[in-house]
Amino acid sequence: DCRYTCHQQCRSLVQLDCRRPDPSQLSPESSLVLPCSQNVTKAVEETPEPLTVEEIKQKIEKYNAKVTNCLLMKLSDDGTYTGFIKVHLKLRRPVTVPAGIRPQSIYDALREVNLADTTARRTSFYLPLDAIKQLHISSTTTVSEVIQGLLKKFMVVDNPQKFALFKEMRKDGQVLLQKLPLTEYPLYLRLLAGPDTDVLSFVLKENETGEVEWDAFSIPELQNFLMILDREEKDKIQQVRRKYEKFKQRLQQTLKEAGGKPG
């Protein structure tokens, strides 16, 4: 009666408190439109059937035929396979790292030395926005292990639960992000999508669960956040002052050139 329209999936979640019209005047069922695939995420996705070893072999051959950067996938006799994935780091909050230690060397990596355990001093800083890290993983490597591996490579000592891995897809000119469960296998998704990162790419972001859970941060981390925010605030104030100082100089120069002449 009031020309109200909603998606079919949302109908059971909506309650109207307006005056109910006569039943004979209710809006027809056809007024409820079907969900648009561009802006509605399906709550349940069909789980594909696991591939056989022969199907995996065929897909790996097709995958490697499209690879142009020598980052090939290799199939083992037991049916598992290894390959490479690229992860875009899109972190908007600072991370916590050990302070005053040297970068990890190849020798440390081979010995699996955790340099973060060699000092109790901590500091916080922003990772470069949209940095890309390449990882060599196997088909049995889970999302949880990928997150932990990324944090270890950058010597980040924050709780891995603060981060989440997303798959980024492009469809109909739009970018779609979907959070991956910790038990998902990224290399399997890479194999199904092919090597083209425009079709599928991986993104590491903060694990957004609504409001920021400040209790998950330690006192030194919170103090570092305040210092960083204070520094950013001062920088922003200086930028605004310089901007309007330039405007002031231009106005004064224009008035000087005009020589007090009207118009």
Side-chain angles (χ1 to χ4, degrees), residues 1-262:
D1 182 64
C2 58
R3 299 181 183 272
Y4 176 78
T5 304
C6 73
H7 291 130
Q8 186 71 36
Q9 293 178 343
C10 305
R11 183 182 178 186
S12 61
L13 304 176
V14 177
Q15 292 183 350
L16 300 179
D17 58 0
C18 55
R19 180 181 59 84
R20 293 180 177 274
D22 184 79
S24 62
Q25 298 178 353
L26 288 175
S27 300
E29 288 289 328
S30 59
S31 63
L32 296 175
V33 298
L34 294 176
C36 176
S37 61
Q38 293 184 4
N39 57 11
V40 176
T41 303
K42 294 183 179 179
V44 179
E45 292 186 355
E46 295 184 359
T47 303
E49 292 292 332
L51 301 177
T52 64
V53 176
E54 184 61 31
E55 289 174 334
I56 291 175
K57 181 179 179 181
Q58 294 175 0
K59 284 190 172 295
I60 289 178
E61 291 176 352
K62 293 180 180 179
Y63 181 96
N64 290 340
K66 298 178 182 179
V67 170
T68 58
N69 51 13
C70 299
L71 302 180
L72 305 176
M73 288 195 185
K74 295 183 180 180
L75 180 65
S76 303
D77 296 334
D78 59 358
T80 61
Y81 49 95
T82 59
F84 296 85
I85 64 170
K86 292 182 179 180
V87 181
H88 296 254
L89 306 180
K90 296 184 179 181
L91 302 177
R92 298 190 176 277
R93 292 196 288 267
V95 295
T96 305
V97 297
I101 64 174
R102 57 180 172 79
Q104 188 180 40
S105 65
I106 297 178
Y107 179 72
D108 293 330
L110 293 176
R111 293 180 56 206
E112 297 186 353
V113 175
N114 189 356
L115 295 178
D117 295 336
T118 63
T119 177
R121 298 174 57 195
R122 297 289 185 261
T123 187
S124 297
F125 77 103
Y126 287 94
L127 286 173
L129 187 61
D130 205 18
I132 300 176
K133 189 65 179 178
Q134 188 168 273
L135 296 176
H136 184 254
I137 62 175
S138 74
S139 57
T140 60
T141 304
T142 63
V143 166
S144 177
E145 292 170 332
V146 167
I147 294 175
Q148 294 177 25
L150 285 169
L151 299 182
K152 184 177 180 181
K153 283 183 177 294
F154 286 97
M155 293 189 292
V156 176
V157 297
D158 289 305
N159 191 328
Q161 294 181 353
K162 296 179 183 178
F163 306 92
L165 191 68
F166 293 76
K167 65 176 181 180
E168 182 178 286
M169 300 163 290
R170 288 172 172 79
K171 183 179 180 180
D172 299 330
Q174 294 187 343
V175 178
L176 307 177
L177 277 175
Q178 180 180 354
K179 181 180 175 180
L180 295 174
L182 295 177
T183 55
E184 183 65 87
Y185 302 107
L187 193 61
Y188 178 70
L189 299 178
R190 179 80 279 163
L191 176 64
L192 295 180
D196 189 355
T197 55
D198 288 336
V199 176
L200 171 71
S201 59
F202 297 102
V203 179
L204 183 71
K205 301 181 66 176
E206 286 85 2
N207 189 11
E208 301 292 354
T209 56
E211 295 295 329
V212 178
E213 298 179 1
W214 296 111
D215 293 339
F217 296 91
S218 65
I219 297 299
E221 288 177 325
L222 295 174
Q223 290 174 340
N224 283 329
F225 293 162
L226 289 176
M227 293 173 58
I228 291 173
L229 291 173
D230 183 61
R231 185 165 59 247
E232 289 182 344
E233 182 183 21
K234 291 179 179 178
D235 291 341
K236 189 65 176 179
I237 291 174
Q238 291 297 326
Q239 291 177 11
V240 174
R241 286 179 175 174
R242 287 195 295 267
K243 175 182 177 181
Y244 285 98
E245 184 64 29
K246 290 182 179 178
F247 286 163
K248 181 179 178 181
Q249 293 176 0
R250 291 178 183 175
L251 286 172
Q252 290 176 341
Q253 181 65 28
T254 302
L255 290 172
K256 183 178 179 180
E257 293 175 353
K261 296 179 181 179

